[in-house]
Amino acid sequence: LQLQESGPGLVRPSATLALTCTVSGDSIEGGPYYWGWIRQSPQRGLEWIGSTYYTERAYYNPSLKSRVSISVDTSKNHFSLKLTSVTAADTAVYYCARLGLTYASSIYVWGHGTTVTVS
Amino acid sequence: QSALSQPASVSGSPGQSITISCTGSSNDIGTYNYVSWYQQFPGKAPKLIIADVSDRPSGVSHRFSGSKSGNTASLTISGLQADDEADYYCSSYVSTNSCVFGPGTKVTVL
């Protein structure tokens, strides 16, 4: 199983950050795993953004809930993150991941991460 | 800000055992058995080494073990080796239907 993040490395303040995670070696459709996003910055450390199952609503970190959405496209076997109204505080390495059998379970497989700078 | 606390650093000599604590509250560690531990090397993604308080995923060394008592979870590394030198993070399910990470502990092998 491999996960690969893709998207712009530079985002303007107040714009929307959009990333995609392409999954290879497993199929999102059919379950049983959850898929999610985590970010890491020197200022905020590791931060759980949210996760989703291909047939369920997503679950989000309450501190980001008003700005974030996670969606799944089973036809392309990928899932996506959108974060609106970004500020410098959203600058971080963003990881996509495969979780376990619940929305906040352990993170079993991590992508390599992609650096996003808000400036 | 993290709802979990960890020591900033822990050190030990090769062959020794060290324990890293992760203290939370009744809103997370104290109520739920969804505590995980991750190992991270510089410039790399974290790696899961303990799931659900004490379960080792396939391929993880038996030198890593996890436990929990009350609001505190612990990670023990026995037979410390030079390549255990890394950052270690705990995480827990929290009552707000999300997950929180600790600030991380830097392990140094003397």
Side-chain angles (χ1 to χ4, degrees):
Chain A
L1 173 64
Q2 290 189 322
L3 307 172
Q4 180 63 59
E5 305 89 350
S6 59
L10 180 65
V11 181
R12 299 300 181 195
S14 78
T16 295
L17 180 161
L19 298 174
T20 295
C21 181
T22 300
V23 179
S24 56
D26 195 4
S27 175
I28 294 176
E29 189 172 17
Y33 303 113
Y34 280 74
W35 306 86
W37 292 92
I38 303 95
R39 69 182 183 180
Q40 184 175 28
S41 66
Q43 295 75 25
R44 302 171 71 88
L46 283 166
E47 187 173 26
W48 186 86
I49 299 173
S51 70
T52 189
Y53 189 70
Y54 79 104
T55 59
E56 289 182 9
R57 71 171 181 91
Y59 294 82
Y60 302 119
N61 185 323
S63 69
L64 299 171
K65 189 174 182 178
S66 63
R67 299 194 292 131
V68 68
S69 66
I70 296 174
S71 59
V72 174
D73 186 337
T74 55
S75 68
K76 296 180 180 178
N77 209 38
H78 74 205
F79 59 103
S80 301
L81 168 71
K82 288 187 178 180
L83 184 65
T84 63
S85 305
V86 298
T87 69
D90 295 309
T91 293
V93 176
Y94 284 75
Y95 296 99
C96 65
R98 197 214 82 192
L99 284 67
L101 303 180
T102 68
Y103 60 86
S105 68
S106 300
I107 301 160
Y108 284 84
V109 183
W110 297 68
H112 293 293
T114 187
T115 299
V116 177
T117 300
V118 178
S119 178
Chain B
Q1 301 297 327
S2 176
L4 305 179
S5 62
Q6 297 180 236
S9 63
V10 173
S11 62
S13 300
Q16 285 186 329
S17 293
I18 61 171
T19 296
I20 303 169
S21 61
C22 174
T23 301
S25 70
S26 58
N27 293 323
D28 39 69
I29 293 175
T31 298
Y32 307 102
N33 289 323
Y34 293 119
V35 178
S36 305
W37 290 91
Y38 301 90
Q39 176 190 57
Q40 186 178 34
F41 296 105
K44 301 294 186 181
K47 172 191 173 183
L48 179 67
I49 55 174
I50 295 290
D52 299 339
V53 177
S54 60
D55 291 342
R56 266 188 313 273
S58 175
V60 173
S61 171
H62 284 74
R63 298 185 299 105
F64 295 96
S65 61
S67 62
K68 186 185 90 165
S69 178
N71 295 337
T72 299
S74 299
L75 172 72
T76 298
I77 308 175
S78 58
L80 196 64
Q81 298 178 358
D83 59 6
D84 295 330
E85 195 162 283
D87 294 324
Y88 293 82
Y89 296 88
C90 61
S91 73
S92 175
Y93 174 82
V94 296
S95 57
T96 53
N97 291 334
S98 64
C99 178
V100 66
F101 288 91
T105 297
K106 182 176 181 61
V107 168
T108 301
V109 182
L110 302 172

